[in-house]
Amino acid sequence: MVKAEKNRYSIKGAKMETINSLICTVGTSLVSHWRTQNEWKNEEVNGIVVNSYETMEHALRKLIRNIEDDHDGLFELLENEKKFGAEINSTASLVRRKYTDQLEKVILLRSDTDDGLRTSQVLKNIFEIAKLVEKPVEIKTISGLQHEDEKRFRREGLVNLVKTMVDAIEKLKAAGLKPAINATGGYKAQIAFAVLIGQVMKVPVFYRFEKFPQIISLPPLPVNYDFGTWARFYDILKKTYDETTISADEIPLDEEPAIEVLFEIENNEAMLSSVGIIFFEAFRNFINENWNLPKPSDLSLDERIKNINLEHSGHIIKHPKLKSFLEKLFKDYEFIERAQCEYFNPDLPSKTKFCKPKDGKVNEIMLTYSDGTATAKIRFVTTAENDGERIRAIEELTARYSLD
């Protein structure tokens, strides 16, 4: 699945583009300073006895107020005072070490626990009053990321962590921001996934070890995915990604046993594992960067639109959104030459998605379209000359038009 690659990364000599947004995993180091497993330590700070989340935040606010007029002194305090927790310490270190001039946006990824909820809310408030970030901090809950159920942690928590990180990175980039991951807080298993996601999504990953005086950037792993070998499994990976759960019988384990690591299989049902999601996202990036779209058709737009055939679609004429959607596709993508409706159900809502048809030629793509009430399946004929061009077209269409 992967090939060894010489590590070209040099921490001392590497020049990193300045970041301006941060995705930060959240743990409980903040509250752990003030509380044992079951009870508060009742530590007194500037006359405040800390015995609750509310008094903890009050004490931290007072520490900031005492020095807020001294910018350098404040950020030194935020970087080094353990009372503020690992998330604040490490983010302040990012600023002091000139990895960022100013953070415009911070997203906190919290665990699916009560401590995660309350700790992240305190952190959000401290981030904002300490002016570590320009805009309001956003908190995202990672469903299943908890420590009471190991199976749920693996099958749901880590999977949702990966999906949420990837989605957050894509949205920050789409907004013109330059994101990074701070993986200091939270479960230690998150570090490995953060490094892989950073490598796949091409964003820097930072971590502050407990005994280190400052945050460091984590180098990418010295591996390179051999996607050429794995292209034949694109269909099953995309189907599982789109549908979340499929029958385990559909996975070609006899053809390639090593593919099992990309799936979680239980009771003859399969879903992509956290590693599988990262692999598929890496595969998508590889496709978009290395494979070509099909060439434009020689037919004019009018000629191609005349090749939209819905005549055998029953009640589809009552759903003009489909015709408008198809015409927009033909206008936006000149490699689509024909469309034939093969199925229509007026009472079956579904998801809009693109995939390879189960049968047909290498230049054909299947669209499942739904307006929320009805579903149609449309077969496209394109100018694709090989499977790589067809996969690239599917990815392009999926990124732009697929809807939940």
Side-chain angles (χ1 to χ4, degrees):
M1 186 184 306
V2 295
K3 292 181 177 179
E5 182 181 75
K6 184 178 180 181
N7 193 342
R8 301 185 299 268
Y9 192 96
S10 170
I11 296 178
K12 286 186 178 180
K15 289 185 178 180
M16 185 176 298
E17 190 174 26
T18 302
I19 66 169
N20 58 14
S21 55
L22 195 65
I23 298 162
C24 187
T25 55
V26 172
T28 56
S29 69
L30 171 62
V31 70
S32 296
H33 176 86
W34 304 93
R35 192 186 70 183
T36 62
Q37 186 70 21
N38 298 311
E39 60 183 28
W40 294 89
K41 299 177 183 178
N42 293 320
E43 181 176 347
E44 184 174 336
V45 177
N46 292 331
I48 301 170
V49 178
V50 177
N51 55 16
S52 66
Y53 280 94
E54 290 75 20
T55 53
M56 177 180 68
E57 181 177 332
H58 188 191
L60 294 175
R61 285 174 177 264
K62 194 163 185 179
L63 285 172
I64 292 172
R65 282 199 302 271
N66 289 343
I67 197 173
E68 61 185 348
D69 292 335
D70 178 3
H71 180 273
D72 292 341
L74 173 60
F75 274 79
E76 182 179 0
L77 175 74
L78 295 172
E79 180 183 23
N80 297 310
E81 176 53 73
K82 302 301 182 185
K83 291 181 176 67
F84 285 97
E87 297 81 5
I88 297 291
N89 292 159
S90 55
T91 303
S93 189
L94 273 176
V95 177
R96 293 194 76 210
R97 308 302 161 178
K98 306 300 183 183
Y99 287 109
T100 179
D101 296 324
Q102 174 66 57
L103 290 172
E104 295 183 32
K105 179 77 174 178
V106 170
I107 299 173
L108 301 178
L109 306 184
R110 75 165 184 88
S111 62
D112 192 5
T113 63
D114 182 63
D115 276 339
L117 169 63
R118 303 192 71 179
T119 299
S120 62
Q121 188 58 58
V122 174
L123 285 171
K124 167 183 165 65
N125 295 338
I126 298 303
F127 264 97
E128 292 173 357
I129 67 168
K131 299 180 180 178
L132 280 166
V133 59
E134 287 184 359
K135 299 176 181 177
V137 171
E138 184 177 354
I139 300 174
K140 291 184 178 292
T141 303
I142 310 301
S143 178
L145 199 66
Q146 41 69 57
H147 52 266
E148 295 182 352
D149 185 336
E150 177 272 333
K151 183 183 292 185
R152 187 171 177 233
F153 177 85
R154 187 186 75 250
R155 289 176 58 86
E156 184 182 341
L158 290 178
V159 167
N160 287 330
L161 174 69
V162 170
K163 286 183 174 180
T164 304
M165 272 194 181
V166 169
D167 181 66
I169 291 168
E170 289 177 341
K171 288 181 178 177
L172 289 171
K173 285 184 174 181
L177 297 174
K178 298 170 184 175
I181 299 170
N182 180 0
T184 304
Y187 300 100
K188 300 309 176 188
Q190 295 175 175
I191 302 171
F193 289 104
V195 172
L196 280 172
I197 293 168
Q199 188 167 342
V200 166
M201 304 299 291
K202 295 182 173 57
V203 300
V205 180
F206 296 92
Y207 186 82
R208 184 172 178 180
F209 293 91
E210 188 174 359
K211 303 297 183 183
F212 282 22
Q214 64 188 54
I215 200 166
I216 64 169
S217 58
L218 297 178
L221 298 175
V223 296
N224 182 35
Y225 296 99
D226 183 11
F227 293 113
T229 302
W230 291 84
R232 65 188 187 279
F233 298 118
Y234 170 83
D235 298 354
I236 192 65
L237 291 170
K238 186 175 189 303
K239 180 178 181 180
T240 314
Y241 189 92
D242 289 342
E243 299 181 12
T244 305
T245 303
I246 64 169
S247 170
D249 295 335
E250 298 182 59
I251 303 172
L253 294 178
D254 292 341
E255 182 180 348
E256 180 52 76
I259 199 174
E260 186 172 3
V261 72
L262 304 179
F263 297 88
E264 290 276 359
I265 301 174
E266 185 175 355
N267 298 326
N268 205 43
E269 290 187 340
M271 59 184 290
L272 285 181
S273 66
S274 47
V275 173
I277 293 171
I278 295 173
F279 178 87
F280 189 57
E281 292 293 346
F283 195 2
R284 284 181 147 171
N285 284 346
F286 174 85
I287 290 167
N288 292 330
E289 292 175 3
N290 295 278
W291 293 356
N292 294 323
L293 284 169
K295 66 182 181 182
S297 172
D298 293 330
L299 301 176
S300 69
L301 176 60
D302 289 341
E303 289 174 317
R304 291 186 295 116
I305 286 179
K306 288 179 182 178
N307 288 333
I308 298 176
N309 187 357
L310 304 178
E311 62 183 27
H312 300 300
S313 309
H315 302 289
I316 201 169
I317 196 169
K318 297 179 181 179
H319 295 265
K321 286 184 179 179
L322 174 59
K323 183 70 180 296
S324 298
F325 181 73
L326 292 176
E327 290 180 356
K328 180 172 176 57
L329 279 177
F330 274 63
K331 181 179 179 180
D332 290 346
Y333 292 101
E334 296 179 359
F335 58 75
I336 303 175
E337 294 191 323
R338 298 178 181 276
Q340 173 66 54
C341 185
E342 298 188 349
Y343 170 88
F344 180 74
N345 188 323
D347 302 309
L348 179 67
S350 183
K351 289 183 177 181
T352 295
K353 60 185 179 182
F354 301 85
C355 64
K356 297 180 187 178
K358 293 180 180 179
D359 56 9
K361 300 177 181 179
V362 74
N363 64 341
E364 294 181 345
I365 294 173
M366 186 65 71
L367 161 67
T368 300
Y369 172 83
S370 178
D371 61 1
T373 57
T375 294
K377 292 187 177 181
I378 312 291
R379 185 183 296 261
F380 291 139
V381 175
T382 75
T383 60
E385 296 179 353
N386 54 62
D387 203 38
E389 289 185 354
R390 173 166 62 170
I391 290 175
R392 176 71 173 83
I394 290 173
E395 282 299 307
E396 178 76 15
L397 293 166
T398 296
R400 187 163 182 182
Y401 291 110
S402 287
L403 306 171
D404 291 332

